[in-house]
Amino acid sequence: MPDIALYQPDIPQNTGTMLRLAACMSVTVHLIEPAGFPLSDSALKRAGMDYLERAALKRHLNFEAFDDWRQTHKRRLVLLTTKTDLAYTDFEFAADDILLLGRESTGAPDAIHQLADARLTIPMAEGMRSLNVAVSCGMVLGEALRQTRAFPKRSS
């Protein structure tokens, strides 16, 4: 099933929200350091609430360590960005994709854009710049899970 990767996140509340999303959807989050906040920050815990304990979190010391892991496991890197015209709704997701979200303040560096196997955007109304990173993550992850039929099974 697809994973989520957070590139040097700035805002603990967004990271907590995405960890909660990941726990609820049974996906893994790769946190690429350094983060712009202490990972033990109370805001992160507050946003993730009791879901943090159920989230599958893998920390990578830097992007190079993450990319080495990704290539070893032959995982496709799908970058969510405002700097492309390919809508996520026009993309065919695979079960082993990793959805990479850039830093809230600056996005992902050009070097990462070049390494990405695909770059996707969310179509928006004219004149609007971007959505909150956690909202974007939820939208695209939902489509990836739908396409790959990887939504968690509900117990009766």
Side-chain angles (χ1 to χ4, degrees), residues 29-113:
V29 173
H30 298 267
L31 197 145
I32 302 165
E33 297 186 39
F37 54 87
L39 292 176
S40 60
D41 186 72
S42 61
L44 176 63
K45 292 177 183 166
R46 194 167 43 251
M49 298 165 68
D50 56 337
Y51 293 84
L52 285 182
E53 295 171 3
R54 300 204 39 203
L57 175 64
K58 291 185 181 180
R59 291 171 62 177
H60 302 272
L61 292 179
N62 53 45
F63 184 79
E64 292 74 21
F66 163 77
D67 202 45
D68 286 346
W69 177 91
R70 177 188 73 85
Q71 289 183 35
T72 298
H73 289 86
K74 297 179 176 33
R75 303 288 298 270
R76 188 167 68 164
L77 187 63
V78 178
L79 176 63
L80 307 186
T81 178
T82 59
K83 299 176 181 174
T84 188
D85 293 326
L86 180 57
Y88 79 101
T89 52
D90 294 332
F91 184 75
E92 190 172 323
F93 290 94
D96 62 350
D97 285 342
I98 299 176
L99 309 177
L100 177 64
L101 294 108
R103 196 171 192 151
E104 291 95 338
S105 60
T106 59
D110 289 340
I112 293 175
H113 279 258

Side-chain angles (χ1 to χ4, degrees), residues 105-143:
S105 60
T106 59
D110 289 340
I112 293 175
H113 279 258
Q114 299 305 314
L115 285 174
D117 298 297
R119 297 182 310 135
L120 309 178
T121 194
I122 298 172
M124 289 181 280
E126 187 68 33
M128 302 308 291
R129 192 180 72 228
S130 65
L131 291 166
N132 173 280
V133 69
V135 170
S136 297
C137 181
M139 290 176 67
V140 178
L141 178 64
E143 178 64 10

